[in-house]
Amino acid sequence: MKYLKNSNGAALVLTLMIITLLLLFILTLFLQVTNTNKQVNRMEQQHDARLIAEMGVTYLRAAMDNLEEDEQEISNYLEEKVKEANNIGDLGGGRHFTLEVEIPEINEAASPIEITYTSIGVSGERTEEVEDTIKITYE
């Protein structure tokens, strides 16, 4: 059996193996960074959607705080404020909120009046809902 005593090509083979291993390592790292970036973007959109839905809750609560005590047409006022909120439109970057309100029968005998509504926040592809209740008490 003859042994090869010429090692002129060994350096080339070793160099190619090292380059291949480095490229595999870099490719794996690149894929991991890409997946992490996608996950972070999804979480940011979900968080934004939640905050936007809470912004809708704050909007309607502030509108109801400005309600005059002698206001007779609470249901009309509420409908008007919900329409205003739903017409605000895009907050930038495909983000917006909408309010869904079921307006109950309103009379002074049914005190306190509970108005339950849902604020839906949208950010990109993510949607979050926040449900809240407002109580109106006649004095």
Side-chain angles (χ1 to χ4, degrees):
M1 199 185 268
K2 290 185 179 181
Y3 291 101
L4 295 176
K5 296 190 181 203
N6 186 358
S7 62
N8 289 340
L12 178 62
V13 171
L14 185 61
T15 303
L16 288 174
M17 287 176 57
I18 290 173
I19 288 174
T20 303
L21 288 174
L22 281 174
L23 285 175
L24 285 173
F25 175 73
I26 290 171
L27 181 62
T28 304
L29 188 62
F30 176 74
L31 289 174
Q32 195 169 18
V33 167
T34 303
N35 286 336
T36 302
N37 190 28
K38 286 180 185 178
Q39 184 178 8
V40 166
N41 286 339
R42 282 189 208 125
M43 292 301 293
E44 282 180 354
Q45 284 183 345
Q46 186 173 358
H47 185 67
D48 278 353
R50 178 73 179 188
L51 290 176
I52 291 168
E54 289 175 1
M55 184 171 64
V57 169
T58 304
Y59 180 89
L60 192 58
R61 284 193 165 272
M64 295 308 287
D65 284 345
N66 292 333
L67 176 67
E68 299 291 327
E69 286 186 28
D70 60 342
E71 183 89 36
Q72 293 295 321
E73 295 295 323
I74 295 174
S75 58
N76 290 341
Y77 179 79
L78 185 58
E79 278 183 36
E80 178 185 320
K81 290 303 174 183
V82 169
K83 283 181 186 176
E84 283 179 17
N86 291 341
N87 288 331
I88 288 176
D90 192 24
L91 300 171
R95 300 177 307 168
H96 65 277
F97 70 87
T98 50
L99 297 173
E100 293 180 355
V101 180
E102 284 190 35
I103 301 173
E105 196 63 36
I106 297 176
N107 57 30
E108 291 186 26
S111 182
I113 300 167
E114 289 191 8
I115 301 169
T116 302
Y117 63 98
T118 303
S119 176
I120 303 168
V122 177
S123 177
E125 300 170 359
R126 299 289 175 191
T127 302
E128 286 286 324
E129 294 183 4
V130 175
E131 196 169 296
D132 193 38
T133 303
I134 295 176
K135 291 183 181 180
I136 300 173
T137 307
Y138 287 102
E139 295 179 3

